[in-house]
Amino acid sequence: MTAPDVPDVLDVLNPATEEVIATVPAATAADVDTAVARAAAAQRIWAALAPADRARLLRRFAVTVDEHLEELALLEVREAGHVLGNARWEAGNVRDLLDYSAGGVERLTGRQIPVPGGIDVTFLEPLGVVGVIAPWNFPLPIAAWGAAPALAAGNAVLLKPAETTPLTALRLAGLAVEAGLPEHLFQVLPGRGPVAGAALVDHPGVAKIVFTGSAGVGRAVMARCATHMKRVTLELGGKSPNIVFADADLEAAALAAPMSFLDNSGQDCCARTRILVQRGAYDRFLELLAPAVEKVVVGDPGDEQTQMGPLISRAQLDRVRSYVPEDGTAGAGAIRGSAPDGPGFWYPPTVLTGLAPDAPAATEEIFGPVAVVLPFDDEADAVRLANATDYGLSGSLWTRDVGRALRVSQAVQAGNLSVNSHASVRYWTPFGGYKHSGIGRELGPDALAAFTETKNVFISSVPGSTEG
Ligand code: NAD
């Protein structure tokens, strides 16, 4: 006799307390099948609506998110351990992106191209059903970066959140229905990557995959998409430099550096975890950096004063620890902040100095509150070090010399750079990676076009003519 099949479930933990806060059924490949069929039907209804009506519904979705901002933020605090201020910003980012995308619906125009013998026009047609596979580090915004422009361009969206963070995604899908979007147009499939995620990637009814996650899984997803000739966007990892030249405002650079790698406990693909400092300013910069790191408030993410919460899981905590010996001295020195004891996946802010530039902590994405500081000699050396990684997602440079800012911005191989700032992801501007950090761009003015096929139509003014 065989044992009855036990349905698979996902236990959602509060990472600050390790308590199970919800148990969610895990989607199977059969669930994905059903969802794709329903989404395809909903997409036909959606694409047939007048653009102004689709825009209006997306704006209503944005308003509905706004009305539930605090609820979404508190859910993000509980399931992802994000500090309250960040969680509020993230829910607001979803609202803003829906609004911004709604503005694109009525402006998604093709072109009229001069040709002989008639006229030529292009149409930007929706792809159909789009699969969005999201990671756990920014569950709400990353879901929206894929879903909002895809919906605006006339597609249906199936979102597979990470195993550890399905709750905000599920709530978001509920709000879409409350706002009046057609049923099944935006569905959430909580489930395991190799089951529900793989089923989405392999499903012939899914026209494009937007994947955000690790480089390893991203490569495998891209290979599967290639076998189906499926469109794919990859947003992967990073090991981003923060380059501080001796001519910079060192106080400002040192003050800004801690949260550029400690925000979201360092679980940020854009975290500036390689702090490169010009030799002449190295000692002074460390003197300024140490107190700034030590005073970062780590603790209860629900407290308004907290700047950094826990890591997402025990597995992530073990991974971070593996890069730093218990005494905290992987290199010649270290700056350590504080973290609570007791339950929860806590790790203190940590800065390592004296490491070789090719040490694992200096080259691999740790995805925790750990940065390294490395000295450099001159501009060429800074660029060489900045580019000495497989990744190329983000980076910052601090200098008072505008010419240098331009030269270095052009020489660093990364998709998103900021000068005298750590700004990375803004919904107005394109976001994505060079090298192993990904393929394609999200956000910005062209975001909707990435969810369309271009169709070219020539209309002859001389019927029957073969000329041209
Ligand atoms: P991950 O690669 O383990 O998982 C990401 C998603 O892929 C999850 O939903 C997971 O369930 C799913 N998945 C796993 N195996 C799959 C498979 N075989 N087929 C289909 N889907 C599968 O990544 P993670 O640990 O959740 O996220 C952390 C990583 O994400 C980091 O490397 C980080 O840098 C990266 N990230 C990148 C960006 C960006 O925009 N570039 C943003 C945030 C996070």
Side-chain angles (χ1 to χ4, degrees):
M1 221 174 88
T2 54
D5 282 346
V6 180
D8 189 18
V9 293
L10 307 172
D11 282 334
V12 184
L13 263 61
N14 178 337
T17 63
E18 302 184 41
E19 285 162 351
V20 176
I21 54 170
T23 299
V24 174
T28 62
D31 294 329
V32 172
D33 253 352
T34 308
V36 172
R38 289 174 173 163
Q43 190 270 332
R44 285 191 284 276
I45 297 168
W46 181 240
L49 289 179
D53 291 334
R54 269 190 279 137
R56 199 169 296 117
L57 283 166
L58 283 177
R59 286 198 189 94
R60 208 182 288 162
F61 188 10
V63 169
T64 310
V65 167
D66 193 49
E67 287 164 356
H68 294 81
L69 215 67
E70 195 66 7
E71 179 197 340
L72 285 169
L74 290 173
L75 207 50
E76 189 91 316
V77 171
R78 290 185 74 215
E79 81 166 335
H82 289 195
V83 300
L84 191 53
N86 283 13
R88 285 181 178 139
W89 181 90
E90 288 159 32
N93 183 252
V94 176
R95 171 205 55 210
D96 294 344
L97 186 57
L98 283 166
D99 227 7
Y100 180 74
S101 303
V105 176
E106 291 170 281
R107 295 172 178 81
L108 192 58
T109 53
R111 305 172 77 182
Q112 183 265 306
I113 300 167
V115 292
I119 59 165
D120 195 285
V121 287
T122 61
F123 299 100
L124 299 184
E125 298 184 341
L127 299 172
V129 178
V130 171
V132 176
I133 300 179
W136 46 260
N137 63 330
F138 289 108
L140 264 178
I142 291 176
W145 300 350
L151 290 170
N155 302 281
V157 171
L158 297 178
L159 165 65
K160 198 215 76 70
E163 289 83 338
T164 41
T165 53
L167 301 183
T168 48
L170 286 165
R171 188 65 189 113
L172 204 57
L175 294 177
V177 176
E178 279 179 40
L181 265 67
E183 212 188 348
H184 303 135
L185 184 72
F186 175 38
Q187 299 174 62
V188 171
L189 293 160
R192 301 195 186 275
V195 182
L200 263 184
V201 172
D202 284 329
H203 202 293
V206 176
K208 175 170 180 169
I209 293 290
V210 177
F211 174 86
T212 306
S214 59
V217 177
R219 261 182 223 109
V221 165
M222 188 174 181
R224 295 301 306 160
C225 285
T227 65
H228 302 290
M229 206 56 79
K230 192 169 287 196
R231 279 82 185 119
V232 64
T233 302
L234 301 175
E235 295 288 0
L236 308 175
K239 188 74 182 175
S240 298
N242 173 10
I243 311 169
V244 182
F245 287 94
D247 70 8
D249 178 342
L250 287 187
E251 278 76 13
L255 212 63
M259 292 318 291
S260 79
F261 73 94
L262 297 174
D263 197 54
N264 203 21
S265 312
Q267 303 165 123
D268 181 342
C269 51
C270 294
R272 276 34 170 200
T273 51
R274 287 188 304 144
I275 308 175
L276 314 179
V277 186
Q278 196 161 14
R279 238 175 254 283
Y282 187 84
D283 291 341
R284 177 67 185 140
F285 182 81
L286 280 187
E287 262 172 38
L288 293 164
L289 181 66
V293 168
E294 284 157 7
K295 74 170 196 238
V296 169
V297 182
V298 183
D300 177 4
D303 185 326
E304 305 250 3
Q305 304 308 315
T306 303
Q307 291 172 279
M308 191 183 112
L311 293 162
I312 187 73
S313 63
R314 182 153 306 283
Q316 196 59 22
L317 180 59
D318 291 343
R319 176 181 165 77
V320 175
R321 279 190 180 134
S322 74
Y323 283 94
V324 188
E326 270 308 295
D327 66 359
T329 53
I335 302 167
R336 304 274 276 184
S338 60
D341 295 326
F345 309 120
W346 303 99
Y347 198 81
T350 302
V351 178
L352 303 173
T353 56
L355 287 184
D358 60 354
T363 56
E364 294 173 19
E365 184 181 49
I366 299 174
F367 229 47
V370 181
V372 300
V373 187
L374 300 168
F376 68 84
D377 295 319
D378 53 19
E379 206 175 292
D381 196 27
V383 170
R384 184 188 58 75
L385 269 176
N387 288 335
T389 162
D390 286 341
Y391 292 113
L393 191 55
S394 296
S396 306
L397 52 125
W398 293 75
T399 177
R400 286 188 168 104
D401 180 337
V402 177
R404 165 174 285 161
L406 274 175
R407 286 191 301 276
V408 176
S409 297
Q410 287 172 332
V412 172
Q413 296 168 318
N416 315 273
L417 294 170
S418 21
V419 178
N420 298 329
S421 153
H422 293 301
S424 270
V425 188
R426 295 153 169 237
Y427 64 84
W428 309 279
T429 53
F431 176 71
Y434 277 42
K435 303 194 282 187
H436 291 215
S437 287
I439 292 208
R441 293 291 178 272
E442 295 188 293
L443 306 175
D446 303 324
L448 271 61
F451 294 98
T452 63
E453 285 287 7
T454 300
K455 180 176 283 173
N456 190 67
V457 177
F458 169 67
I459 304 166
S460 172
S461 56
V462 190
S465 164
T466 53
E467 203 183 325

